[in-house]
Amino acid sequence: MIIGNWKMNTARADAIALAEAVVGIAHQPATRVGICPPALWIDPIAHVLESSSILLGAQDCIGDQFGAQTGCINADMAHDAGCSMAILGHSERRARFGETSESLLPAVAAVLETGMFPVFCVGETREERESGRALDVVAQQLKPLLKAGLDVSGIVIAYEPVWAIGSGLSATRADIEEMHATVRDVVGRADALVLYGGSVSPDSADEVFSAEGVSGALVGGASLKADKFAAIVAAWERK
Ligand code: PGA
C-alpha cells in the first residue's frame, strides 16, 4: 500500500491536475495506491478518481456525530465524500493540536464504523530515539487502541519517526525492521499492515522497502510530484 499525504499543499487546480496524473500511474492490482488531499479538495478529487483504482483519504477527522464543532469534519462526512481511509494522529497534528492516542480513540472508532480504514500514525522524536526510548514510545502510542478494545485488524499503522518527516533522512533498514516487528508484537497481529513514512523518495524507496515487515509507505513531499510518486510505486513493485 502506497499512500500520498499531500498535507496543506496544492491550490485547487494543482490538486485536480495532480490527482489526474496519479490516475495515470500504472500499478498492479495487488498494490493499493491512495492519496489524501486537503479536505477542501476531497470532493472534486472524488470525481477525478471515480472510475480509477486510486483510493481517496482524509488527512484527519474527528469521531463526533454531526453537531457544533466549528472547523471540523467527521468520519461520516469523509466517507460520504468518497473516502475509504483517514489518516489519524499524524505527528504534525499531535505536535500542533495536542492530539494523543487517547484523544484519537473516538475518531478511530468512528472511521472503522463507516467501513473506512484508519491510517494510524505513530513515531518517536529524535530525542526519544537518541535516549533509547523509541520502541517504548511507539508501544505506548499503540496501547490505547488495544485497551479500548478496537478491532486492530481494520487499522493500518504508519510508523513515522518524527525526525525523518520532511528531513530527507530515512530511518535505517535495521531500525525499521525492529520497529515494525515491535508494532506487530504490541498489536498482537503478525499480519498487521504497517507502513513506513518519513522522507520516502525515489532515492530512498529501495532501501526502505528492502526492510522486512514493511507493508508499504506513507509519502509526504514526494507524493506532490506524480513522477516521484510513480517511481515509489514502481520501487515497491520491484521489491
Ligand atoms: P515526508 O512526509 O515524506 O515529506 O517525510 C511523510 C509524512 O509526514 O507522512
Side-chain angles (χ1 to χ4, degrees), residues 145-159:
L145 299 174
L146 303 165
K147 234 170 129 183
L150 290 164
D151 176 15
V152 281
S153 71
I155 302 175
V156 173
I157 294 158
Y159 166 53

Side-chain angles (χ1 to χ4, degrees), residues 16-89:
I16 290 169
L18 180 54
E20 285 168 351
V22 171
V23 168
I25 293 177
H27 68 93
Q28 293 162 11
T31 308
R32 281 184 280 175
V33 178
I35 51 176
C36 300
L40 280 171
W41 312 148
I42 286 174
D43 183 59
I45 286 177
H47 296 287
V48 175
L49 302 186
E50 225 156 39
S51 49
S52 87
S53 58
I54 306 296
L55 304 176
L56 181 59
Q59 295 178 13
D60 178 57
C61 66
I62 65 169
D64 299 43
Q65 299 298 307
F66 294 98
Q69 296 296 342
T70 304
C72 296
I73 61 168
N74 70 14
D76 291 312
M77 289 167 164
H79 181 250
D80 209 7
C83 291
S84 50
M85 66 182 145
I87 299 172
L88 294 175

Side-chain angles (χ1 to χ4, degrees), residues 164-236:
I165 294 175
S167 65
L169 301 167
S170 285
T172 64
R173 181 181 159 162
D175 287 342
I176 296 173
E177 287 180 349
E178 184 184 40
M179 186 62 84
H180 283 222
T182 299
V183 167
R184 291 197 173 88
D185 251 20
V186 172
V187 300
R189 295 193 70 95
D191 60 351
L193 283 178
V194 188
L195 309 181
Y196 170 79
S199 296
V200 178
S201 68
D203 293 334
S204 66
D206 285 322
E207 165 84 5
V208 166
F209 295 150
S210 71
E212 207 178 306
V214 171
S215 315
L218 183 56
V219 185
S223 71
L224 294 170
K225 295 267 181 271
D227 57 339
K228 289 190 178 175
F229 195 53
I232 293 168
V233 172
W236 172 254

